[in-house]
Amino acid sequence: MSKDVINKIILTWIVVLSTCQAHENSLDVTLNLCPNSKKLVPFTANERIKRTLNEPHIKGYNKSPACEDFYCYSWCRDAWIHNHYSLAFWNATKKFHFTEICSLHHEKTAAAVLVCGNTWGSDNIVAKSSSGHNKVKPHSQLLSSANLAPFYSFSSVWCYSSPESGLRCRFQNIYYNPGKKEFVFVLSPNSVLYGINSIKTLEEHLYMSSVVGHNAFQISITTVPYTSFFTKYKYKTVHGESLLIARFKPDNLLHVFHDDLLPIYFTMREICMNYRLCIENMKLIFIDDMDKTIYWDLYQVMSKNIILMSDNLLSRQMWYCFESAHIGLNKQSVWYQYGYGKPQGPQVRSTFSGHLLRQFTAFIKEKLNIEHQSTNIPLGILISRKYNRKILNEDQLSVVIKDQLRLHASQKDSEVKVLSLEENNLVTLIGELSQARAAIGMHGAALILGMFLPPGAVLIEIWPYGINSSAATVYKTMCELKGFGVTHVPWMNEDPDNTIYHPEYPSFYGGLSHLSLDAQEDMIKRLHESKLKDVECCDNINWLFRIYQDTKVHTTESDAKYKSDPFSRILKESLRMSEENLVNKAIEYEMQLLVYPSKVQGVQCYLIKAGHYTELLLKWEDPWNIRDINCQDIYFEVFVEIEGDSAIIRNIVSDRQFKTKFKFRVENVHTWITCFCNNIEGSVFFKKCSL
């Protein structure tokens, strides 16, 4: 007899023994309630006596009997036998009222469950009215009360992953404690783990942020058996669907858009077929320790119901049960990595495109009620910084921008506006940038608003002295997204006379006062000796010292003593280059990558024996969707393989037929036909030809 059979026999015996013990302890009973009764009337399960109340017992349920054909404890006992095969479970959970155990097992009989609770004196559920009569709390309150029935509150998880976005999981009943900053997976024999081997593996692969490689954003999670959890801890349930994330740097506009808002947007589009309904209904849960920031309005665009787990109104000791929680962001939109363990640069696996970025910016403008406004004259935006990393000659630079825009457009006038994050709100900035021909600014977070520039515009990024523009290419990478249509050009200060550095600043703004005098002198010496070409995160002193310099931009070609390229020439060349990147060409190219021919139609294949030769004749018709994709150039690729021979013959033809001869008898030939439209490869059609 096998071990499995022996184990099953022992298990069955334990179940029978446990049931008998329960019967002996008067636990295996069916509860029958009579009008105005104050005691339980026990009946054995075998008697199955049915009694119906003709009069309502509780106010508020007078439209239907309060208790109908109802076996309260039988449900609980069945669940107990199914989940736990000894009295240990009952001994661990008998502290709970029958009401709390049974309520979720038969939602339709909530009223009867409450009568059960009344009979057993459940103070948590049944309250006394001023008149002394029992008053029942609504069932909705029952479902949201702490320490609710454990049977429907155990945890489950379904996970899936992709090379670009990594692991994403959906949890049923995941618990979080703000004080411990830890999740708990309440483990039951009925728990489901899909797509992972164990909960512990989540700590290595599941991130609360789109920023991968930073250990601060790896999920902290453990497991607790639910027989223990529900007897020791209180919790509150957060009903409905929730998306749980940790914000990266919610006080920095670059990180707000790139690391939070874009991934949230595309995650919601992944979760919901109608992502607008998702944004309306899904709760956004921030589990980081940070409070609201000046960009809080942008986060509110993504959800009408945001919960900050750092909120002082929330209990630090309470466990919060998220009924349906999504953890792990869609990282499709993440085009840049910030240098954790390697120099920062473009995200290698990113397949994000410009037309997807345009969908996001259109959504943001719609939510912020920013309407498109056309301008009759070319508009330039100079993005200013008021407190550090300043452009020292903004007035002179504005004149050059105005002149170049006017000359390029061959118009009598143009306009330049100087705007800043310090003095202008985001609605104003986004609205103006949406109609600008060119935007110019120092490297910094505000340049992320370049995503709102129209196709065909120019973004010029100004770099302080001693830094090569290759050190940080987040905005260059954004502008080079396929189909985006904005030209990015860097301007680098090559002249030490045009820079002012600030060793007196605080260290996080590039100051050097925390270093020794020798270290300060060495830092300044290196500034003049070499350019910084790459940088790793974080708190790189060399990077901070250089990036927080103030800069005077060399503007004209008249003064030959400067090494820097004249800004007027850079802007002129940029405007010329932008003509080649207009949106219609960029988007057409992007759409060509997405639209391709289907299989060829009406394929006819003939093998004809002619003397010592075998002739192959193939005929076909164009793919059915060829007219829908505007083919300017069409040709066909035909592969031929004689059955039993590994050699494959490749042929390119422009006609809808192909002929060839074999110098010997051929019984079977394998053929593959593919249509190419504007050099875009279509689907392959396979055909076997026989004599």
Side-chain angles (χ1 to χ4, degrees):
M1 186 178 296
S2 66
K3 290 184 178 180
D4 290 340
V5 175
I6 294 174
N7 289 336
K8 289 181 179 179
I9 293 174
I10 294 173
L11 190 60
T12 304
W13 172 248
I14 292 173
V15 172
V16 173
L17 180 61
S18 300
T19 306
C20 293
Q21 289 174 344
H23 180 75
E24 291 174 1
N25 290 328
S26 298
L27 297 177
D28 185 17
V29 296
T30 299
L31 301 184
N32 182 66
L33 301 173
C34 300
N36 302 321
S37 66
K38 295 296 182 181
K39 297 182 180 180
L40 290 173
V41 182
F43 293 93
T44 62
N46 292 332
E47 291 176 339
R48 303 189 60 82
I49 298 177
K50 296 183 180 181
R51 298 200 179 188
T52 303
L53 298 180
N54 296 320
E55 297 179 3
H57 183 61
I58 302 172
K59 293 181 180 180
Y61 291 91
N62 55 5
K63 293 183 179 180
S64 61
C67 235
E68 292 183 3
D69 299 343
F70 167 60
Y71 309 110
C72 178
Y73 183 63
S74 293
W75 301 333
C76 298
R77 182 181 63 80
D78 291 343
W80 158 56
I81 291 175
H82 179 69
N83 291 312
H84 298 270
Y85 301 107
S86 74
L87 283 175
F89 169 68
W90 176 254
N91 293 332
T93 59
K94 64 182 179 181
K95 298 177 183 178
F96 291 101
H97 299 290
F98 283 142
T99 307
E100 294 176 294
I101 297 176
C102 298
S103 58
L104 284 178
H105 279 266
H106 205 291
E107 194 171 22
K108 294 181 180 179
T109 57
V113 171
L114 291 172
V115 175
C116 263
N118 178 30
T119 307
W120 279 82
S122 175
D123 295 332
N124 290 337
I125 305 301
V126 181
K128 293 284 186 178
S129 67
S130 59
S131 61
H133 293 92
N134 291 328
K135 183 179 292 184
V136 178
K137 292 184 180 180
H139 191 50
S140 60
Q141 292 184 21
L142 173 67
L143 292 179
S144 61
S145 64
N147 284 341
L148 205 56
F151 293 104
Y152 275 25
S153 301
F154 59 81
S155 302
S156 289
V157 62
W158 293 262
C159 295
Y160 60 101
S161 64
S162 64
E164 190 172 48
S165 294
L167 195 65
R168 282 102 78 203
C169 298
R170 178 170 183 165
F171 291 86
Q172 172 187 292
N173 299 324
I174 187 72
Y175 295 78
Y176 183 75
N177 187 292
K180 301 180 186 299
K181 297 181 175 61
E182 190 169 24
F183 288 92
V184 157
F185 188 93
V186 178
L187 193 62
S188 157
N190 280 345
S191 294
V192 174
L193 273 69
Y194 178 84
I196 56 172
N197 294 324
S198 69
I199 295 300
K200 187 173 179 57
T201 61
L202 295 178
E203 292 195 329
E204 300 177 2
H205 302 289
L206 187 60
Y207 284 81
M208 302 300 303
S209 167
S210 67
V211 180
V212 177
H214 197 309
N215 58 11
F217 298 109
Q218 287 177 295
I219 190 173
S220 178
I221 187 170
T222 189
T223 58
V224 173
Y226 88 122
T227 53
S228 174
F229 187 86
F230 294 116
T231 59
K232 296 179 180 178
Y233 306 103
K234 292 184 178 181
Y235 66 91
K236 292 182 179 179
T237 300
V238 179
H239 294 290
E241 285 197 281
S242 302
L243 177 60
L244 278 63
I245 76 164
R247 295 167 294 171
F248 181 46
K249 288 181 66 64
D251 57 347
N252 182 291
L253 194 60
L254 162 63
H255 298 296
V256 168
F257 273 108
H258 179 266
D259 305 315
D260 294 342
L261 299 184
L262 273 160
I264 289 171
Y265 173 78
F266 284 100
T267 300
M268 287 187 171
R269 293 197 67 170
E270 177 182 330
I271 293 171
C272 303
M273 294 183 65
N274 186 336
Y275 72 95
R276 293 182 182 273
L277 290 179
C278 194
I279 290 172
E280 291 284 328
N281 301 321
M282 182 172 290
K283 298 177 180 66
L284 196 54
I285 314 296
F286 295 142
I287 69 160
D288 51 71
D289 292 330
M290 292 167 280
D291 296 325
K292 298 177 182 178
T293 67
I294 57 174
Y295 303 120
W296 183 249
D297 289 345
L298 286 175
Y299 287 102
Q300 289 182 305
V301 165
M302 308 308 299
S303 174
K304 290 187 174 181
N305 193 349
I306 301 179
I307 298 175
L308 277 175
M309 298 308 292
S310 62
D311 196 322
N312 292 328
L313 297 177
L314 297 179
S315 170
R316 301 290 96 186
Q317 304 304 319
M318 178 67 72
W319 288 93
Y320 293 88
C321 172
F322 296 99
E323 188 178 56
S324 178
H326 300 268
I327 300 179
L329 290 170
N330 183 311
K331 303 178 184 66
Q332 175 186 21
S333 61
V334 177
W335 68 75
Y336 203 73
Q337 54 84 19
Y338 302 116
Y340 295 109
K342 59 181 178 181
Q344 63 173 272
Q347 191 69 270
V348 176
R349 290 181 174 177
S350 176
T351 59
F352 195 48
S353 63
H355 80 276
L356 290 177
L357 182 57
R358 294 286 181 197
Q359 291 178 15
F360 170 76
T361 56
F363 166 78
I364 293 294
K365 289 195 288 185
E366 176 189 338
K367 287 294 184 179
L368 296 178
N369 296 317
I370 299 174
E371 297 181 356
H372 175 72
Q373 296 179 355
S374 59
T375 177
N376 295 325
I377 59 176
L379 172 64
I381 303 296
L382 178 57
I383 300 175
S384 174
R385 295 178 64 98
K386 300 301 181 183
Y387 303 120
N388 53 51
R389 207 184 305 168
K390 294 179 288 188
I391 298 173
L392 298 174
N393 57 334
E394 286 184 350
D395 291 342
Q396 183 183 8
L397 188 59
S398 297
V399 172
V400 172
I401 296 170
K402 183 180 177 68
D403 289 344
Q404 289 299 322
L405 287 174
R406 176 179 56 81
L407 290 172
H408 180 79
S410 301
Q411 294 191 15
K412 295 181 179 180
D413 198 9
S414 61
E415 184 179 9
V416 174
K417 294 182 179 181
V418 180
L419 304 174
S420 69
L421 289 175
E422 294 89 347
E423 296 180 344
N424 302 100
N425 60 48
L426 284 174
V427 172
T428 299
L429 282 163
I430 293 173
E432 295 292 352
L433 285 165
S434 296
Q435 54 182 338
R437 184 69 176 84
I440 299 94
M442 291 289 297
H443 171 82
L447 293 192
I448 191 63
L449 297 178
M451 68 171 63
F452 294 97
L453 286 168
V458 170
L459 178 64
I460 299 181
E461 186 175 9
I462 298 174
W463 286 94
Y465 178 71
I467 303 180
N468 193 294
S469 62
S470 64
T473 58
V474 57
Y475 306 117
K476 177 178 183 291
T477 305
M478 176 185 73
C479 292
E480 291 177 349
L481 293 172
K482 292 179 180 179
F484 186 56
V486 173
T487 300
H488 174 275
V489 176
W491 182 90
M492 292 177 285
N493 181 20
E494 307 281 359
D495 301 293
D497 294 340
N498 281 346
T499 188
I500 298 177
Y501 48 81
H502 294 276
E504 76 281 3
Y505 278 0
S507 59
F508 50 85
Y509 284 139
L512 304 177
S513 58
H514 63 294
L515 301 177
S516 66
L517 292 177
D518 289 342
Q520 292 184 41
E521 291 178 0
D522 181 64
M523 187 70 66
I524 295 171
K525 181 181 178 181
R526 281 191 286 164
L527 169 65
H528 296 284
E529 289 180 347
S530 62
K531 284 187 177 183
L532 189 65
K533 296 183 179 180
D534 55 54
V535 61
E536 294 186 19
C537 194
C538 295
D539 300 327
N540 185 309
I541 299 174
N542 199 19
W543 162 263
L544 293 174
F545 174 61
R546 298 179 185 219
I547 198 63
Y548 277 104
Q549 297 173 94
D550 297 332
T551 302
K552 179 183 177 182
V553 178
H554 171 44
T555 56
T556 62
E557 301 182 42
S558 59
D559 198 336
K561 71 176 183 179
Y562 293 110
K563 296 180 181 179
S564 305
D565 290 329
F567 186 84
S568 58
R569 189 170 70 198
I570 291 294
L571 179 55
K572 180 180 179 180
E573 180 66 15
S574 301
L575 293 170
R576 185 195 64 79
M577 290 170 57
S578 68
E579 299 290 345
E580 302 174 2
N581 294 324
L582 292 177
V583 65
N584 55 347
K585 295 181 180 179
I587 289 184
E588 282 179 6
Y589 175 73
E590 180 65 22
M591 292 304 293
Q592 286 176 357
L593 296 179
L594 299 175
V595 179
Y596 57 89
S598 64
K599 297 179 181 180
V600 295
Q601 304 290 300
V603 177
Q604 301 177 43
C605 183
Y606 305 97
L607 273 178
I608 304 170
K609 184 180 178 182
H612 299 290
Y613 295 90
T614 303
E615 186 176 73
L616 170 67
L617 174 61
L618 278 172
K619 293 183 178 181
W620 61 85
E621 298 173 1
D622 288 343
W624 69 268
N625 68 335
I626 204 71
R627 296 180 180 178
D628 300 311
I629 54 181
N630 191 26
C631 281
Q632 303 299 322
D633 179 35
I634 185 170
Y635 63 90
F636 301 90
E637 183 181 62
V638 180
F639 285 95
V640 177
E641 178 191 48
I642 299 172
E643 190 172 71
D645 189 346
S646 60
I648 297 179
I649 304 170
R650 177 177 179 267
N651 304 272
I652 301 295
V653 297
S654 56
D655 295 331
R656 277 64 175 172
Q657 65 177 14
F658 171 74
K659 290 182 180 181
T660 189
K661 289 183 178 181
F662 307 106
K663 296 181 179 180
F664 46 85
R665 181 181 177 86
V666 175
E667 299 289 338
N668 297 292
V669 174
H670 297 162
T671 64
W672 295 265
I673 308 170
T674 306
C675 176
F676 283 75
C677 169
N678 300 332
N679 290 322
I680 304 300
E681 183 177 358
S683 299
V684 180
F685 184 94
F686 171 77
K687 182 76 172 180
K688 180 179 179 179
C689 305
S690 302
L691 278 175

